[in-house]
């Protein structure tokens, strides 16, 4: 473990177990549907690659890039669309794939935007959920793990663009982000 981490919250094995479990549920729920997975860049890419391998039904993927954080550890409440989807999602069963749901500001704006495109259904799968931090009225139907209110990094999640490549998820020592 890197010495700027306080502790490991999810090991590689635990993450894979979560992907297997969610993959089984999603395979069942979407087997007769028109599944279209939307990964939210950049944090969700590792989770998305592992999760979709476990979904055993036809699906399409695309990405959106939004920014709500400006390099720090607190959400600013503003969401900017940096990259939109490349194709139509009309009549699709859209599944948003996110790394972590915190205040909900990001996903609230994204879901409102995508709902307006006449989708057949719209659900969210998030690897991590910090419900104690929620400000917007939003929930994920599929959750990997509920975690306490601590800043986490690894497996796609960053602090100032660092740590995304860690194969596990850990909490950052507070002195790293308070200095
Ligand atoms: P929300 O809009 O507050 O729900 O924030 C969601 C986004 O904030 C996530 O997609 C992450 O990019 C980022 N974020 C929230 N909490 C953390 C964290 O603990 N570590 C790293 N990024 C986080
Ligand atoms: Mg993100």
């Amino acid at each position: 473990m890197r010495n700027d981490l306080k502790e490991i919250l999810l090991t590689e094995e635990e993450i894979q177990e979560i992907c297997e479990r969610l993959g089984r549920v999603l395979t069942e729920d979407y087997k007769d549907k028109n599944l279209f997975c939307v990964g939210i860049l950049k944090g969700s890419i590792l989770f998305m690659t592992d999760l979709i391998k476990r979904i055993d039904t036809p699906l399409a993927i695309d990405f959106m890039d939004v920014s709500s954080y400006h390099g720090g550890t607190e959400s600013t409440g503003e969401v900017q669309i940096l990259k939109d989807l490349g194709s139509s999602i009309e009549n699709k069963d859209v599944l948003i794939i996110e790394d972590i749901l915190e205040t909900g500001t990001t996903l609230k704006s994204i879901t409102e935007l995508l709902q307006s495109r006449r989708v057949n259904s719209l659900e969210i799968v998030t690897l991590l959920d910090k419900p104690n931090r929620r400000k917007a009225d939003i929930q994920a139907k599929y959750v990997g793990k509920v975690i306490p209110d601590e800043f986490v990094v690894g497996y796609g999640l960053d602090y100032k663009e660092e740590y995304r490549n860690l194969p596990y998820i850990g909490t950052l020592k507070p002195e790293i982000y308070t200095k």
Side-chain angles (χ1 to χ4, degrees), residues 88-113:
S88 165
I89 50 171
E90 193 171 339
N91 296 323
K92 301 280 162 82
D93 294 293
V94 175
L95 178 67
I96 297 175
I97 302 183
E98 181 58 305
D99 51 359
I100 186 165
L101 179 52
E102 195 184 23
T103 64
T105 317
T106 313
L107 281 181
K108 183 83 182 168
S109 335
I110 293 173
T111 50
E112 278 169 5
L113 177 69

Side-chain angles (χ1 to χ4, degrees), residues 14-133:
E14 286 167 331
I15 293 170
Q16 292 312 315
E17 279 166 26
I18 289 172
C19 292
E20 267 174 51
R21 171 174 59 83
L22 290 174
R24 273 196 305 274
V25 175
L26 291 165
T27 299
E28 190 54 33
D29 288 4
Y30 286 91
K31 66 181 179 211
D32 300 314
K33 300 214 169 154
N34 215 336
L35 179 55
F36 190 102
C37 297
V38 175
I40 309 302
L41 296 171
K42 297 173 253 191
S44 72
I45 60 159
L46 276 75
F47 176 47
M48 184 167 187
T49 45
D50 284 336
L51 180 66
I52 63 172
K53 285 185 273 185
R54 307 288 184 182
I55 304 177
D56 186 17
T57 192
L59 59 84
I61 64 167
D62 203 348
F63 298 91
M64 278 187 91
D65 193 4
V66 299
S67 91
S68 59
Y69 267 58
H70 299 278
T73 61
E74 292 288 324
S75 185
T76 58
E78 267 169 65
V79 176
Q80 234 186 314
I81 307 279
L82 304 176
K83 183 217 171 290
D84 204 341
L85 298 175
S87 58
S88 165
I89 50 171
E90 193 171 339
N91 296 323
K92 301 280 162 82
D93 294 293
V94 175
L95 178 67
I96 297 175
I97 302 183
E98 181 58 305
D99 51 359
I100 186 165
L101 179 52
E102 195 184 23
T103 64
T105 317
T106 313
L107 281 181
K108 183 83 182 168
S109 335
I110 293 173
T111 50
E112 278 169 5
L113 177 69
L114 297 187
Q115 278 293 3
S116 72
R117 297 182 184 175
R118 290 184 288 183
V119 296
N120 188 50
S121 66
L122 182 65
E123 297 294 350
I124 297 166
V125 57
T126 185
L127 176 60
L128 303 173
D129 189 6
K130 281 191 208 171
N132 293 341
R133 300 272 298 172

